[in-house]
Amino acid sequence: MLTSSKIGIARVCHSLSLLALCVACVACASHTPALFRGEVLGFGGGPERYSSWFGDERNGVIYFGLSPFWTDMRAHGGDPTADLLEPSAHLIGRFEIERERFLPPLLARRPGPDSRSSVWDVLAHPNGWIYYTTYFEEMGRVRPGMGDVEHFDSLGTGLNEIALGPDGNLYVTRYGGGSEGKPTTGDGSVAVISPDGALLRERPLHARDGALTAPKSIAVDPKSGEVWLNADVIPPAGKVSFAAFHLAADLSLIERRDAPPELMFVAFDRDGRGFFVEDRDGRVELRVTRAGAELARLDLGPRAPADFAQDVHFAADGRAAIAFWSGRVELVREANGVYEHARVTLERPPECAAPERNALFYSAFVAARSVYATLYCDAAIARAPLPAGFRSVR
């Protein structure tokens, strides 16, 4: 059953008065490398440090999850549930690209007994809402400027990454099975959820016996409705491996793959072009497809140890940004049927470089002359100039 709460505008303003969103910028000359830092204060009263995580962009604003997940996990000996030790606000950060400034975060839930997790993935839906997941707790949505918040508690737990379907529905990976608010130890699934939070259908996924299948990133072809996703395959002991799934529009299985190449990430633009980022024997390759036909295949160079392609986002003119944990951003553009790519490397500042910070880059966005990316190092957005051939003319 859908539970919702409508927070009035005056109440939202009061809530946001508890936030001090301070911003500092390093090397802020226009279109030069820069780091914008914000710090979220005043929530929970505990030691947690919220940092930027997965993001999405709409109308020149980057929306991103604010989470202490990696920081808490490192501080508690690698315990992935350490985020639950302290009450946490469910917060969505906002960064305005044009003015290069943080806006007050969106508050989805106050810290308390029912709010100990934090926001993981976000999706800026064309309908005006920002959808979010928290994995251990609810999925929900917030409407900027309207003071509306809705919690989809009946969907259960374990929900992870979100993709937009061609009919406006949400396709969400359930990394671990979950019901009645409690994660289970079974295989995960892919769920299709209506914009108002109703579970329309769900398909469990299983890669192989003797291991758990945990779906991660998901993409939907806006033309055919077919679904692609990758998954961790977790044995009782030993190394985690990978699998990839291709599903029909009704979620029936078309193909399962657990042999190389490894699918690191896939995304579709609004015209139905699929961008498949794969590891082929230690080299990163991009396959661009449409309706199953290959349009281009680009060699993006070697994959560094402990690096991963974590996200792909498209500018309105079709330019793509493929973000890697390391700060490597592969830019891709098409001109007259020819695909070109260039690389931008975002640098971590010294205070973010210590291994215990786990300061990874997650989502990158192409603007007119610069690329912006979320960095898990408190609330941080990094900027780097685009190569001349990848800039747009205003």
Side-chain angles (χ1 to χ4, degrees):
M1 174 182 235
L2 168 68
T3 63
S4 67
S5 59
K6 302 288 186 178
I7 301 178
I9 292 177
R11 184 175 169 188
V12 169
C13 293
H14 174 70
S15 299
L16 293 178
S17 71
L18 299 176
L19 292 177
L21 190 60
C22 307
V23 58
C25 178
V26 180
C28 280
S30 179
H31 310 306
T32 60
L35 183 74
F36 304 90
R37 300 290 299 274
E39 186 176 359
V40 182
L41 306 173
F43 274 94
E48 290 189 314
R49 299 176 66 170
Y50 296 91
S51 291
S52 305
W53 211 350
F54 297 97
D56 198 7
E57 183 270 339
R58 186 179 66 207
N59 297 332
V61 176
I62 298 172
Y63 298 88
F64 54 94
L66 282 164
S67 173
F69 177 84
W70 288 114
T71 309
D72 289 351
M73 180 175 168
R74 291 270 187 171
H76 293 86
D79 180 3
T81 67
D83 185 12
L84 304 178
L85 296 176
E86 296 280 345
S88 298
H90 294 176
L91 290 172
I92 299 168
R94 296 188 291 169
F95 182 81
E96 186 180 20
I97 293 175
E98 180 69 25
R99 298 186 181 182
E100 295 188 328
R101 62 174 184 170
F102 287 94
L103 302 175
L106 304 175
L107 175 64
R109 198 186 284 273
R110 293 174 175 274
D114 297 325
S115 184
R116 306 189 74 86
S117 185
S118 53
V119 172
W120 286 35
D121 197 17
V122 299
L123 184 141
H125 198 288
N127 66 9
W129 291 86
I130 307 299
Y131 291 81
Y132 69 93
T133 60
T134 65
Y135 185 71
F136 294 108
E137 294 168 339
E138 90 283 349
M139 180 180 175
R141 63 180 183 175
V142 181
R143 185 154 54 179
M146 302 297 291
D148 296 338
V149 178
E150 296 185 358
H151 303 137
F152 306 151
D153 297 303
S154 65
L155 296 177
T157 61
L159 295 171
N160 186 10
E161 297 189 42
I162 316 170
L164 182 66
D167 48 9
N169 290 329
L170 307 168
Y171 288 68
V172 188
T173 53
R174 199 184 294 272
Y175 190 80
S179 62
E180 297 180 356
K182 297 180 181 179
T184 70
T185 57
D187 288 329
S189 60
V190 56
V192 182
I193 297 164
S194 71
D196 59 0
L199 180 62
L200 301 178
R201 56 189 181 276
E202 184 163 8
R203 178 192 171 91
L205 297 172
H206 184 69
R208 54 182 172 269
D209 294 341
L212 298 178
T213 302
K216 297 187 299 183
S217 303
I218 186 168
V220 187
D221 184 336
K223 303 300 184 181
S224 69
E226 293 182 0
V227 180
W228 281 260
L229 64 148
N230 58 11
D232 289 332
V233 182
I234 308 171
K239 185 179 179 180
V240 174
S241 59
F242 67 89
F245 296 84
H246 177 194
L247 308 178
D250 64 359
L251 301 188
S252 60
L253 180 66
I254 296 175
E255 181 186 12
R256 182 184 69 239
R257 191 180 73 215
D258 56 8
E262 177 186 359
L263 178 62
M264 291 192 285
F265 201 88
V266 56
F268 285 84
D269 70 6
R270 62 187 179 187
D271 295 323
R273 291 186 305 169
F275 282 59
F276 293 77
V277 187
E278 298 171 331
D279 180 334
R280 290 182 179 266
D281 299 320
R283 295 192 70 83
V284 180
E285 186 173 82
L286 171 67
R287 287 190 302 113
V288 184
T289 68
R290 179 184 281 117
E294 185 172 297
L295 302 179
R297 189 181 290 250
L298 301 177
D299 182 357
L300 302 183
R303 176 182 177 182
D307 202 6
F308 196 80
Q310 185 58 77
D311 212 346
V312 179
H313 285 279
F314 302 96
D317 61 5
R319 291 172 299 161
I322 305 170
F324 289 73
W325 285 342
S326 63
R328 163 186 179 181
V329 179
E330 298 288 350
L331 304 168
V332 181
R333 65 186 292 268
E334 180 267 333
N336 301 317
V338 177
Y339 283 81
E340 303 171 334
H341 85 276
R343 181 178 302 173
V344 170
T345 301
L346 297 161
E347 300 292 340
R348 298 179 182 87
E351 65 270 24
C352 300
E356 63 270 13
R357 292 303 301 268
N358 213 82
L360 305 177
F361 292 88
Y362 277 89
S363 302
F365 307 91
V366 179
R369 298 176 61 85
S370 300
V371 61
Y372 296 83
T374 60
L375 171 61
Y376 187 97
C377 184
D378 299 326
I381 300 290
R383 182 188 72 196
L386 291 172
F390 281 79
R391 298 173 186 171
S392 66
V393 179
R394 298 199 196 201

